[in-house]
Amino acid sequence: MIKHVIPYLASLILFLIVTGIGIGLAQSLPVGTTALEDNYRRDQLLGKLDSSISFSVRPLNNKALSKSNIYASDSTFSSNNRDTGNDLHLELLPINWQHQVTSGYPYGWNDGSMIPNVGYQTQLSVGIYAEYKFLSIQLRPEFVYAQNQYYLGFDGKTKPSWDVWYSYYNNIDMPEHFGDGPYTKLFPGQSSIRVNYGALSAGLSTENIWWGPGIRNSLLMSNTAPGFLHATLNTTRPIRTNIGSFEGQFIAGKLNGSGLAPTKQGIVNHYDEYYVPKPDTWRYISGLTMAWQPKWLPGLSVGFAQSFIVNRSDQGSGIADYLSLPFIGYTSHYNEEDREDTGTDEQLRKRDAYVSFFGRWVMPKGNAEIYVEYGRNDLPWDNRDFVVEMENSRAYTVGFRKLLPFNRARQEFWQIGLEATQTEKSRTLQVREGNTWYIHPVVRHGYTHRGQLLGAGIGPGSNVQAVYVSWLRGVKQIGIQAERLVHLNDFYYSASQDIRGNWVDLGFSALTEWDYKHFVFNAKVHYAHSYNYQYEVIPHPDQAQDPDKYWWSFTPADKNQFQLSIGAMYRF
């Protein structure tokens, strides 16, 4: 792949430099673009950007943002490219180079093709955009190198604990280690070929997708995993009607596995006999999302997202087996007539299916936003069941952000915000069965692509609460963040009766983003203290003789984690 992609890309870049043909007109801003993407979202809170953009269907397009150059979100940067007025438009895309050093154990999400890594890791992306009339091509591959050092993962000590651990990780493709030794990969990255007409775009893409209003977590689609190959039909800007504005996207794609075991094999007392290799097959994914901003309620957007994954070997041949139809096929509850006459129930049980409903309210007068996403991986029997047990099989994200004027003359603000996400099972698991989010007993790679999650990066059965404060001036930002991350509580409650042992990280970060002419720099320092790392508690030696006295006198099995991230973007 490398020998084919690099010469082609190099020749296009050379052609662009020689000809100097100008700026593209329908380019998209990759999900998670450093500083710039969130700066557009903050502009909306300040009343500088159309409030009908929901920020729940991304990547964003410059048609929606009304920018001739989508990378010029700030007034300090102007492109050297020039528009010739011809039908053909070419543009060099920014060079983005990220570096990361992690100690202790892997941390982080929403970093695309990067992997959970200990040691040094780097990601480099550069590309070219071309547009001729209604046809656009974006080539933006991503190169990743990771030192991928060994670290101590799960060590359950006992055979029963390993049995329960494998009952989870045999049904999701989330390896602790991405092979032995250094990891090197070239991905297609944020690339696409599209046909564009008015507010619609259709084509093939490997771009990352984000569905839902969350800033740090999205239940169905995020940029935690590398982008996957998919056909897409989507809006490029809100479509205005008599009842309000609409945005949406339909996808059909291909997901690949990592080909790796959940943990290293051949280690004494790690009970490899519980490992069940996953099927050697790719998975089909189909998804649909829509967002609506009612005409009568400016700033409020509501919508839904849904998706399903099925092993290619289990997929049917009918139209419904390929299309994500609104709210059809998202429950395991079907009547006997369906089961006996059509086999519908058996076929749908082979799907790993999800649905979510979301809302976001932008308040420009208050320079604030509030948002929520509620999702389920098993729809209710009926409306009564939904009302009585809304918490069954659910996950959610809630968030709030407000900008406070600090120096209006210099357009400086304080930013305060919080966001919480929960994918842990509710107490209904005690009376009714249900799968942990992103884990599935039939689609045993789970809701993943190349070993990383498509949805909320915190992981299955996990929770996070975060609060952040920062100083802002345009793209520039200096801030701090505190978070509490609970790891796979579903496994903990299945494997342990010890109330002292759930694995919780308390983390603190300091970050900055800074633009200077053609450059946008970013840096982040993160420290976390991991309580009961990998669910381990070391009891007091005398606990067996006197439990009441020594129960809380255990030896902490804690661990510290440190991560430094730095990067730079150069805009041509």
Side-chain angles (χ1 to χ4, degrees):
M1 181 178 182
I2 295 177
K3 68 179 181 180
H4 294 298
V5 173
I6 291 181
Y8 180 56
L9 180 60
S11 64
L12 284 175
I13 293 175
L14 179 62
F15 174 74
L16 174 62
I17 294 174
V18 172
T19 60
I21 297 177
I23 190 169
L25 297 180
Q27 59 194 159
S28 59
L29 186 70
V31 173
T33 298
T34 302
L36 303 184
E37 186 181 48
D38 196 54
N39 185 53
Y40 281 120
R41 184 163 176 157
R42 296 195 302 263
D43 279 350
Q44 196 178 51
L45 307 190
L46 297 174
K48 299 179 180 179
L49 185 67
D50 182 5
S51 66
S52 67
I53 302 171
S54 68
F55 279 84
S56 297
V57 186
R58 295 185 269 156
L60 298 170
N61 190 282
N62 65 339
K63 289 184 178 180
L65 298 173
S66 302
K67 284 281 186 178
S68 59
N69 186 342
I70 203 167
Y71 295 98
S73 67
D74 55 301
S75 59
T76 64
F77 167 72
S78 60
S79 174
N80 289 334
N81 292 330
R82 57 186 177 85
D83 191 353
T84 64
N86 298 327
D87 289 333
L88 176 64
H89 302 272
L90 295 173
E91 182 182 359
L92 276 175
L93 300 176
I95 297 174
N96 197 7
W97 198 0
Q98 293 293 130
H99 306 268
Q100 187 182 97
V101 178
T102 307
S103 70
Y105 55 91
Y107 169 81
W109 55 94
N110 299 338
D111 51 12
S113 53
M114 282 185 162
I115 64 170
N117 170 75
V118 169
Y120 172 73
Q121 181 170 202
T122 187
Q123 180 195 69
L124 175 65
S125 67
V126 64
I128 190 171
Y129 176 84
E131 181 178 298
Y132 181 73
K133 295 184 177 179
F134 55 82
L135 178 67
S136 66
I137 299 176
Q138 180 169 292
L139 294 175
R140 191 175 186 179
E142 296 171 346
F143 171 78
V144 174
Y145 167 81
Q147 198 172 2
N148 199 26
Q149 294 178 349
Y150 176 79
Y151 69 95
L152 180 63
F154 181 73
D155 186 6
K157 308 296 184 185
T158 68
K159 191 171 183 177
S161 63
W162 275 106
D163 185 14
V164 178
W165 189 85
Y166 269 114
S167 72
Y168 282 86
Y169 283 89
N170 275 334
N171 296 309
I172 189 170
D173 186 20
M174 284 181 56
E176 289 185 325
H177 304 93
F178 279 68
D180 297 314
Y183 174 95
T184 305
K185 213 83 165 176
L186 179 65
F187 295 92
Q190 311 307 308
S191 300
S192 66
I193 178 169
R194 294 173 174 271
V195 175
N196 308 294
Y197 181 78
L200 297 177
S201 177
L204 292 174
S205 172
T206 58
E207 295 172 289
N208 280 110
I209 302 168
W210 188 288
W211 291 351
I215 295 175
R216 300 190 69 218
N217 282 289
S218 174
L219 297 182
L220 267 65
M221 290 290 171
S222 74
N223 61 324
T224 293
F228 57 89
L229 178 64
H230 60 276
T232 177
L233 173 63
N234 59 271
T235 58
T236 57
R237 56 174 170 80
I239 298 177
R240 290 173 171 80
T241 71
N242 290 333
I243 61 172
S245 300
F246 290 87
E247 300 166 276
Q249 183 175 29
F250 168 80
I251 63 162
K254 177 183 180 182
L255 301 176
N256 298 106
S258 68
L260 300 169
T263 188
K264 286 184 177 292
Q265 303 294 286
I267 300 177
V268 177
N269 295 328
H270 276 205
Y271 301 97
D272 292 353
E273 62 267 29
Y274 288 130
Y275 169 51
V276 180
K278 296 175 175 66
D280 184 17
T281 181
W282 60 274
R283 288 154 294 142
Y284 175 81
I285 180 172
S286 180
L288 172 69
T289 187
M290 291 189 67
W292 171 46
Q293 181 168 125
K295 178 181 179 180
W296 312 275
L297 297 170
L300 176 66
S301 58
V302 295
F304 74 91
Q306 62 182 47
S307 62
F308 75 83
I309 297 175
V310 62
N311 292 325
R312 183 65 185 93
S313 56
D314 293 330
Q315 189 178 8
S317 57
I319 294 179
D321 296 304
Y322 285 88
L323 301 182
S324 182
L325 303 175
F327 313 122
I328 297 177
Y330 289 85
T331 175
S332 60
H333 306 308
Y334 291 88
N335 61 42
E336 290 297 324
E337 183 179 353
D338 287 336
R339 182 179 295 112
E340 293 176 359
D341 294 345
T342 67
T344 301
D345 185 67
E346 181 182 356
Q347 189 65 32
L348 292 175
R349 285 179 186 273
K350 295 178 180 179
R351 293 182 174 186
D352 186 13
Y354 300 84
V355 62
S356 77
F357 302 90
F358 53 79
R360 177 173 177 255
W361 190 7
V362 177
M363 298 165 277
K365 290 185 178 180
N367 306 138
E369 65 172 316
I370 186 170
Y371 54 89
V372 61
E373 182 177 17
Y374 166 87
R376 295 181 67 134
N377 62 6
D378 186 12
L379 289 184
W381 281 90
D382 51 27
N383 292 335
R384 182 184 182 87
D385 183 35
F386 175 72
V387 172
V388 173
E389 286 196 342
M390 286 189 65
E391 68 275 20
N392 181 53
S393 78
R394 62 92 182 96
Y396 66 82
T397 292
V398 294
F400 169 80
R401 172 161 60 173
K402 181 173 176 59
L403 305 183
L404 302 169
F406 174 63
N407 187 325
R408 289 190 179 275
R410 299 178 59 181
Q411 289 293 295
E412 296 179 0
F413 296 86
W414 288 109
Q415 173 182 248
I416 58 172
L418 58 88
E419 184 177 291
T421 298
Q422 179 160 330
T423 63
E424 178 188 344
K425 285 183 179 180
S426 67
R427 291 190 63 185
T428 58
L429 65 89
Q430 298 178 7
V431 295
R432 62 196 299 179
E433 295 181 359
N435 296 323
T436 293
W437 268 70
Y438 312 131
I439 292 178
H440 199 268
V442 178
V443 187
R444 293 184 45 241
H445 286 85
Y447 199 66
T448 66
H449 174 58
R450 296 194 180 277
Q452 298 194 69
L453 286 165
L454 296 176
I458 60 174
S462 303
N463 311 316
V464 68
Q465 304 89 35
V467 60
Y468 53 91
V469 179
S470 59
W471 166 88
L472 304 169
R473 189 175 71 207
V475 173
K476 296 178 176 63
Q477 178 175 191
I478 300 175
I480 57 174
Q481 175 183 283
E483 71 176 19
R484 177 181 176 269
L485 174 62
V486 183
H487 294 265
L488 190 46
N489 246 11
D490 288 0
F491 161 74
Y492 164 68
Y493 287 119
S494 299
S496 176
Q497 300 297 318
D498 193 333
I499 63 173
R500 303 168 296 179
N502 54 327
W503 176 11
V504 178
D505 291 352
L506 188 60
F508 302 92
S509 304
L511 61 91
T512 184
E513 296 168 339
W514 208 266
D515 62 314
Y516 178 74
K517 296 183 178 179
H518 289 256
F519 288 95
V520 179
F521 301 98
N522 68 88
K524 181 179 179 180
V525 178
H526 174 82
Y527 165 78
H529 182 79
S530 183
Y531 293 89
N532 310 318
Y533 177 70
Q534 296 288 352
Y535 319 97
E536 185 175 359
V537 168
I538 304 174
H540 190 279
D542 297 325
Q543 178 180 310
Q545 284 75 32
D546 194 344
D548 292 338
K549 181 178 180 180
Y550 294 106
W551 179 257
W552 290 106
S553 299
F554 60 90
T555 301
D558 297 354
K559 195 167 186 175
N560 294 316
Q561 189 265 0
F562 174 83
Q563 185 179 81
L564 171 65
S565 303
I566 58 173
M569 175 193 296
Y570 180 82
R571 301 169 287 180
F572 290 95

